[in-house]
């Protein structure tokens, strides 16, 4: 009988309660909040329907037409010609995301942002002040609605995997709680696609074994899993049993800071992938500057449709949290890594490691003028976005007007 090493920690781990907050159709919801006349219309955030852009996100009305994230906007325009197409205002969304994060920090310092619109929150140490995890999730959702005019869905569970699955089940404005003694009853009926890492190709492979639900996946022996999925077998074995011992790690305590996105449809267009990589870089750099962290090693992560994952990294001489500096390295890694984009890219991500505090350093006589200019731009950008997010300030070097491929249907 296979004994998972992580199950030895399960009893302790199942006492923790994690909240996963996921904003509902975030970009579209922000635009509708600012322009209530859009409330009854199909709203699509992305490029022009006559251009080469892709859908970032769409409100729930638009989704009834079959529109989803990462779909080419030209196709979305054909499916929904009456749709209202709006170009993304990333800096504005980032400013509102900071307000959401401040609400989280009211209840605990253990907040791990995943992107602008979702985060894990560990409230195990907050119960005496605010109540149990379900109560805290309700408080957070209520404050997001009352203070920001937006809605969020929440999953409350003993670990990160379960909480993330739960938050997605009753959107929009949902709240799903997974009790520690009901984990298998919660997971078993769900489609196997709910397991992290099961994309279209992996799902087809599992269906060949008669696996359609998580219960079906759990019924496979470790030997069968190993023969079919190799090093990923342990991953599938654990998640089908609801085992996930990863802690919630705030940015300030992390060994690395990263952002990644998983596309609903595999992408092959280099320009779209490069543009999304640059936007992820901007989010990573903002988080680093928020916590006054600098880093030396930039990481690129690309996952193909067949689950093969490519990682590349490069260490720079001087630690940085400059958007431009990190983007330059990430883009160079992407360009020169001999990636097989024809296989279809399911996920792309960027991160920075070898982190340290952003302490003042002695300037040299020949201080790099371009570097100093980049720092001034970052500082000015952060200050303007924090104070005047509505101005939708954009970086010409890191944003394309007609791109945006989103990770999931939020």
């Amino acid at each position: 009988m296979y004994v998972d090493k992580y199950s030895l920690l399960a009893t302790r781990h199942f006492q923790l309660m994690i909240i996963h907050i996921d904003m509902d159709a975030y970009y579209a919801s922000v635009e509708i909040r600012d322009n209530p006349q859009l409330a009854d219309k199909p709203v699509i955030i992305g490029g022009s329907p006559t251009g080469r852009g892709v859908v970032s996100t769409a409100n729930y009305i638009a989704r009834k037409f079959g529109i989803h994230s990462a779909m080419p906007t030209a196709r979305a325009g054909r499916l929904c010609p009456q749709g209202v197409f709006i170009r993304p205002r990333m800096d504005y969304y980032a400013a509102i995301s900071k307000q959401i994060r401040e609400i989280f920090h009211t209840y605990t310092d253990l907040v791990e942002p995943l992107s602008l619109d979702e985060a894990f929150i560990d409230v195990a140490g907050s119960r005496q002040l605010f109540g149990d995890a379900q109560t805290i999730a309700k408080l957070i959702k209520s404050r997001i609605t009352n203070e920001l005019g937006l809605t969020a869905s929440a999953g409350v569970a003993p670990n990160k995997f379960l909480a993330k699955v739960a938050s997605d089940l009753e959107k929009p404005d949902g709240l799903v709680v997974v009790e520690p003694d009901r984990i298998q009853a919660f997971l078993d009926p769900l489609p196997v696609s709910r397991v992290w890492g099961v994309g279209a190709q992996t799902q087809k492979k599992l269906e060949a074994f008669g696996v359609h639900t998580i219960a079906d996946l759990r019924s496979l022996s470790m030997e069968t899993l190993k023969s079919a999925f190799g090093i990923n077998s342990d991953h599938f074995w654990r998640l089908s049993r609801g085992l996930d011992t990863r802690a919630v790690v705030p940015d300030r305590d992390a060994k690395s800071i990263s952002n990644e996105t998983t596309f609903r449809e595999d992408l092959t267009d280099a320009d779209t992938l490069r543009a999304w990589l640059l936007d992820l870089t901007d989010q990573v750099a903002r988080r680093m500057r928020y916590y006054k962290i600098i880093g030396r090693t930039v990481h690129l992560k690309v996952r193909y449709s067949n689950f093969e994952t490519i990682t590349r990294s490069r260490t720079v001489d001087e630690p940085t949290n400059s958007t431009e500096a990190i983007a330059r390295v990430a883009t160079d890694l992407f360009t020169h890594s001999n990636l097989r984009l024809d296989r279809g890219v399911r996920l792309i991500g960027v991160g920075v490691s070898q982190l340290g505090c952003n302490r003042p350093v002695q300037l040299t006589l020949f201080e790099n003028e371009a570097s100093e200019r980049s720092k001034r731009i970052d500082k000015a950008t952060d200050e303007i976005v924090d104070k005047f997010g509505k101005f939708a300030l954009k970086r010409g070097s890191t944003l394309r007007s007609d791109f945006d491929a989103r990770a999931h249907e939020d």
Side-chain angles (χ1 to χ4, degrees), residues 86-106:
I86 300 174
R87 296 188 185 281
R89 300 188 288 166
M90 298 306 300
D91 288 297
Y92 186 32
Y93 306 147
I96 298 170
S97 176
K98 183 178 180 181
Q99 294 176 290
I100 296 169
R101 190 165 61 237
E102 288 170 353
I103 292 176
F104 299 159
H105 281 285
T106 302

Side-chain angles (χ1 to χ4, degrees), residues 258-316:
S258 62
N259 265 23
E260 61 186 37
T261 187
T262 303
F263 306 113
R264 178 166 175 167
E265 293 183 349
D266 300 333
L267 298 182
T268 58
D269 181 70
D271 288 340
T272 299
L273 289 165
R274 189 178 291 108
W276 184 245
L277 181 68
L278 294 177
D279 184 70
L280 291 171
T281 299
D282 197 37
Q283 293 188 44
V284 168
R286 283 183 182 279
R287 287 163 59 190
M288 293 176 69
R289 293 194 294 271
Y290 180 83
Y291 287 104
K292 296 180 171 56
I293 292 170
I294 51 179
R296 290 189 62 210
T297 302
V298 178
H299 302 265
L300 169 70
K301 180 178 180 180
V302 174
R303 178 168 294 156
Y304 296 125
S305 58
N306 65 356
F307 207 71
E308 179 185 357
T309 302
I310 305 298
T311 59
R312 299 288 186 268
S313 64
R314 181 178 302 164
T315 300
V316 297

Side-chain angles (χ1 to χ4, degrees), residues 333-393:
L333 288 171
F334 179 86
T335 302
H336 297 98
S337 292
N338 297 319
L339 298 174
R340 292 291 306 276
L341 301 185
D342 57 309
R343 296 180 180 178
V345 173
R346 171 175 168 75
L347 173 150
I348 192 166
V350 64
V352 179
S353 64
Q354 292 200 56
L355 304 179
C357 296
N358 189 10
R359 298 187 181 92
V361 295
Q362 178 66 42
L363 297 179
T364 67
L365 181 62
F366 303 104
E367 184 66 34
N368 187 303
E369 183 178 344
S371 175
E372 285 304 298
R373 176 179 175 274
S374 178
K375 290 177 184 178
R376 291 195 298 271
I377 291 173
D378 284 335
K379 184 174 185 296
T381 299
D382 292 344
E383 289 176 351
I384 292 171
V385 168
D386 288 346
K387 191 172 183 180
F388 306 109
K390 199 170 184 177
F391 285 4
L393 186 66

Side-chain angles (χ1 to χ4, degrees), residues 20-172:
H20 180 257
I21 297 288
D22 196 3
M23 301 300 294
D24 298 320
Y26 179 52
Y27 299 172
S29 295
V30 169
E31 300 296 345
I32 293 169
R33 182 199 68 175
D34 289 359
N35 183 2
Q37 293 181 354
L38 298 174
D40 297 326
K41 296 179 172 60
V43 176
I44 302 158
I45 309 300
S48 167
T50 60
R52 296 180 62 250
V54 292
V55 174
S56 166
T57 193
N59 69 347
Y60 294 96
I61 297 175
R63 294 178 193 184
K64 293 179 181 178
F65 292 85
I67 295 170
H68 55 76
S69 61
M71 172 184 286
T73 50
R75 182 182 171 194
R78 291 192 297 271
L79 290 173
C80 185
Q82 69 271 45
V84 180
F85 287 79
I86 300 174
R87 296 188 185 281
R89 300 188 288 166
M90 298 306 300
D91 288 297
Y92 186 32
Y93 306 147
I96 298 170
S97 176
K98 183 178 180 181
Q99 294 176 290
I100 296 169
R101 190 165 61 237
E102 288 170 353
I103 292 176
F104 299 159
H105 281 285
T106 302
Y107 301 96
T108 178
D109 288 335
L110 296 177
V111 176
E112 181 181 339
L114 300 180
S115 60
L116 294 181
D117 61 347
E118 62 175 320
F120 287 115
I121 308 169
D122 185 339
V123 296
S126 306
R127 298 181 185 183
Q128 289 186 344
L129 286 175
F130 303 107
D132 61 19
Q134 183 175 355
T135 299
I136 295 173
K138 289 179 179 178
L139 290 171
I140 290 173
K141 281 167 50 65
S142 177
R143 287 190 59 187
I144 289 173
T145 298
N146 294 335
E147 297 176 24
L148 301 176
L150 301 168
T151 64
S153 292
V156 181
N159 61 51
K160 293 166 86 169
F161 166 63
L162 294 169
K164 186 170 174 64
V165 171
S167 70
D168 195 45
L169 290 183
E170 295 185 4
K171 281 182 162 290

Side-chain angles (χ1 to χ4, degrees), residues 161-162 165 183-184 186-196 198 206 211-220 236-242:
F161 166 63
L162 294 169
V165 171
I183 290 173
Q184 218 60 62
F186 167 76
L187 283 177
D188 280 355
L190 298 178
V192 72
S193 58
R194 292 285 182 179
V195 174
W196 287 347
V198 176
L206 286 167
V211 173
H212 301 278
T213 67
I214 293 180
D216 295 334
L217 177 62
R218 187 164 59 92
S219 70
L220 295 182
F236 292 137
W237 192 95
R238 285 186 288 109
L239 293 190
S240 68
R241 289 158 175 76

